[in-house]
Amino acid sequence: MSTHTVPTFEASTPTAYRMLVGGEWVEAADGRTLEVITPIDRRRVIATTPRAGAQDVERAVAAAREAQPRWASLPSTERQRALLRIADDLSDAAEDLATLTALDTGNALRTQARPEALLLASAFRYFAGLAGELKGVTLPSGTDALSLSRRVPVGVVAGILPWNSPLMIAAFKLPAALVSGNAMILKAAEDAPTTILELARVCERHLPPGVLGVLTGYGAEVGQALVEHPGVDKVSFTGSTATGSGVAAAAGERLAHVSLELGGKSPCIVFPDSDTDEVVEEMLLATRFARQGQSCTSGSRLFLHESVHDSFLDRLVDRVSRLVVGDPREEATDIGCIINQRQWDRVQGYVDDALATDGIRVAHDGRPALTVGEPGFYHAPMILSQVDNSWRIAREEVFGPVLSVIPWREEDEVVAMANDSHYGLAAFVFARDIGMALRTAQRVESGWVQVNQGGGQQVGQSYGGMKASGHGREFSLEGMLEGFTQIQQINVRLG
C-alpha cells in the first residue's frame, strides 16, 4: 500500500498522518491534531490527523483551482490511463485497505471491509472506461453555420464523506469526478479518515499535484468552509438528512452545484409466495446487519404478509441468531462494531424507546448472547415485531442493527405504508410472481428498488434517493455526466 507505517491495533505509538494539499503532505496551518480511536477498543488511539480549518481550505482550493484547467485540457485517454494505473495499485493494496477499514470503521473484514476495498478498484476501472463518453453533439445548421455542444468539467468538487463506508462512498465520487476533468478535494470523516488518506497515497502517484486533495478535521470547521467557499464549484455530500439540508442551503446561497445522498428508512416487502430459506438469506443482506445496520440503504422496515408472518419471522430469527458478532478483523465475524460511543448510545436509545412502547414484541434480542463487549462498541442485532408504521422506531433512521417487523394484508395497504415515509433511498420486494413484484417495485417511491435480492449493488448503476433521501445520482455513466460535467453550447457562423 505504501512504504510508511500504517495503523495497526498492536502499535504502541499512533500513526501520525498529514493531509494532501497541492501534491504535498502537510500539517494543519495552526498545528492542531485529532486522535483517531478504533471502535474495537475505545482506549486505543490508532492514529492522529491534522485538524484542518479555514486556512487549510484556502490552500487546498487554491491548489485545486490551479491544477484543474491543465488536468481538464489533457486528452481523455491520458486521464483514462491515470485511472487505470490507480486501479492496478488499488487492487494490489486491497487486502491492506480492507484490514485498515476493519480497524478504522469497525466493519467486519469478510462481510464488508474486503468487498468495499475490491469495489474501489473496480470503480476506477469502470470510470476509466467511460473516458470516451465525454462528448457533445452537433446539430444540422446548414452549410453556413456550425452548432455544437461539448461536455466540460464542473471545476473544483468538494466530496464530503461519511464514516460508515469511506472507501465505498469515495468510489461513488472520486473516479467519476477525475475522469471527467475535475479536481477534487475529499473531506474525510473525523471518525474514520485513515483509509481515505491511504487512498490518496495511491492516487497521488499518478495524478498531477493539486488534482486531488484530502482534508481531515471536523465537519463544522472544514466541511462547512468547503461548502461555503466560492472557489468550490460543486459539493457532493453523503451523510445524514439533517446535515445534508444544511449543506444544500449553504451551497445554494451561492448557486453552487450540489448532489446529496442522505438517509433512508427502507421498506422490505415479502409476499405470501416468498416464505423460503432463500428469501431469508436475501433478507439478511437487505437488513445490512453485517454492517451493524450502519447503512443508509438498510432495509430496516420488514413488511410481512400476515399469512406467512410467523413462519417467515421464525426462519429469520433462527438465521440471525447464528450471526457472529465479534472482532471485525476475524474471518469468522459477521457483524463488527458500532463506530463510537455517541452512535452506540443513539442506537440503544432507540431500542429503549421502542421497548417501552405498548404492544411491541421482541422477536430476537441478541444482546444476552454477546461474547464481546467493552472496550469495543459492540451491539447485537435486534428484531422487533408487531410494530406500527407510525411509531418512531419505524419512521426514524436508527443506523444500527435494529429491524422493525410490520404485518400487512392487502397490496395497496403495504405500498401505502412503504411510501408513508419522508425517506426514499432504497426498497426491497420479494415475490415469486414476477409481475406482482415488478408492479410493486414501480409503485414504491425509492431511488433504488431491488427485487428478490438484498445486496445487488454494482458498478455502473445509478445510485441516489428520492424525497428527503437526497437528489442527484452517482456511480454510473449518467451520474458522471449529470453530476460532474456541464454542457457548453457553441454556435459558429461560417464564411
Side-chain angles (χ1 to χ4, degrees), residues 78-114:
E78 289 196 31
R79 295 196 298 273
Q80 179 184 59
R81 284 193 288 270
L83 262 68
L84 288 173
R85 290 193 291 268
I86 291 171
D88 287 342
D89 284 359
L90 288 174
S91 292
D92 292 341
E95 192 62 20
D96 289 338
L97 287 170
T99 301
L100 185 54
T101 294
L103 185 66
D104 197 31
T105 68
N107 288 335
L109 181 65
R110 172 177 52 82
T111 58
Q112 175 61 23
R114 186 176 292 122

Side-chain angles (χ1 to χ4, degrees), residues 289 309-310 313-314 316-318 320 348 350-368 379-387 391 393 401-405:
F289 279 168
H309 179 282
D310 293 349
L313 186 55
D314 286 345
L316 182 62
V317 166
D318 176 68
V320 171
Q348 189 58 40
Y350 274 104
V351 170
D352 292 341
D353 180 77
L355 294 179
T357 305
D358 289 339
I360 202 162
R361 296 180 184 176
V362 179
H364 175 72
D365 183 351
R367 292 177 297 176
H379 198 296
M382 295 195 67
I383 302 176
L384 306 174
S385 64
Q386 299 302 315
V387 173
W391 292 350
I393 194 69
V402 182
L403 179 65
S404 297
V405 182

Side-chain angles (χ1 to χ4, degrees), residues 18-19 26-33 49-53 56 59 216:
R18 296 183 176 187
M19 306 180 294
V26 300
E27 304 285 357
D30 60 9
R32 294 185 300 173
T33 62
T49 64
R51 179 177 171 179
D56 302 293
R59 289 193 295 170
T216 55

Side-chain angles (χ1 to χ4, degrees), residues 236-257:
S236 174
F237 172 83
T238 299
S240 71
T241 295
T243 304
S245 178
V247 167
E253 286 187 2
R254 58 185 186 85
L255 300 180
H257 298 254

Side-chain angles (χ1 to χ4, degrees), residues 12-311:
S12 58
T13 303
T15 300
Y17 276 99
R18 296 183 176 187
M19 306 180 294
L20 181 61
V21 176
E24 298 180 353
W25 291 94
V26 300
E27 304 285 357
D30 60 9
R32 294 185 300 173
T33 62
L34 294 174
E35 293 182 337
V36 181
I37 298 171
T38 174
I40 300 173
D41 185 343
R42 69 193 74 199
R43 303 165 304 189
R44 188 66 59 93
V45 177
I46 59 170
T48 60
T49 64
R51 179 177 171 179
Q55 188 174 345
D56 302 293
V57 170
E58 288 290 343
R59 289 193 295 170
V61 173
R65 295 209 71 81
E66 181 180 354
Q68 189 271 328
R70 292 195 298 273
W71 175 247
S73 69
L74 294 175
S76 61
T77 51
E78 289 196 31
R79 295 196 298 273
Q80 179 184 59
R81 284 193 288 270
L83 262 68
L84 288 173
R85 290 193 291 268
I86 291 171
D88 287 342
D89 284 359
L90 288 174
S91 292
D92 292 341
E95 192 62 20
D96 289 338
L97 287 170
T99 301
L100 185 54
T101 294
L103 185 66
D104 197 31
T105 68
N107 288 335
L109 181 65
R110 172 177 52 82
T111 58
Q112 175 61 23
R114 186 176 292 122
E116 186 176 337
L118 294 172
L119 177 71
L120 178 64
S122 297
F124 270 85
R125 288 197 180 92
Y126 172 78
F127 284 103
L130 297 183
E133 298 303 316
L134 297 160
K135 53 193 178 186
V137 298
T138 60
L139 295 174
S141 304
T143 58
D144 60 349
L146 176 64
S147 174
L148 62 95
S149 68
R150 53 195 293 262
R151 287 276 180 182
V152 298
V154 171
V156 173
V157 180
I160 301 178
L161 305 176
W163 46 256
N164 59 327
S165 297
L167 290 180
M168 183 171 68
I169 305 303
F172 291 176
K173 305 177 189 300
L174 181 57
L178 292 179
V179 79
S180 49
N182 299 282
M184 185 165 236
I185 303 167
L186 293 176
K187 191 276 173 185
E190 61 267 25
D191 286 305
T194 63
T195 57
I196 298 304
L197 292 164
E198 293 296 341
L199 166 62
R201 288 192 182 277
V202 172
C203 292
E204 69 155 341
R205 298 197 290 263
H206 307 290
L207 297 173
V211 170
L212 172 63
V214 176
L215 297 176
T216 55
Y218 291 119
E221 295 176 347
V222 62
Q224 189 69 18
L226 283 168
V227 171
E228 296 175 351
H229 199 290
V232 173
D233 301 292
K234 174 177 178 170
V235 178
S236 174
F237 172 83
T238 299
S240 71
T241 295
T243 304
S245 178
V247 167
E253 286 187 2
R254 58 185 186 85
L255 300 180
H257 298 254
V258 180
S259 61
L260 305 168
E261 191 266 285
L262 307 176
K265 194 68 180 176
S266 303
C268 301
I269 302 173
V270 177
F271 280 86
D273 63 358
S274 294
D275 183 18
T276 67
D277 291 338
E278 291 76 16
V279 172
V280 166
E281 289 297 323
E282 294 297 331
M283 182 61 219
L284 200 66
L285 295 174
T287 64
R288 307 293 191 256
F289 279 168
R291 291 169 61 182
Q292 302 79 250
Q294 296 179 147
S295 169
C296 45
T297 61
S298 170
S300 54
R301 290 186 296 156
L302 173 57
F303 294 95
L304 290 179
H305 190 272
E306 61 180 16
S307 66
V308 297
H309 179 282
D310 293 349
S311 58

Side-chain angles (χ1 to χ4, degrees), residues 419-436:
N419 291 337
D420 183 17
S421 172
H422 64 287
Y423 292 115
L425 184 57
F428 307 83
V429 178
F430 297 97
R432 287 185 176 181
D433 183 335
I434 197 63
M436 180 183 297

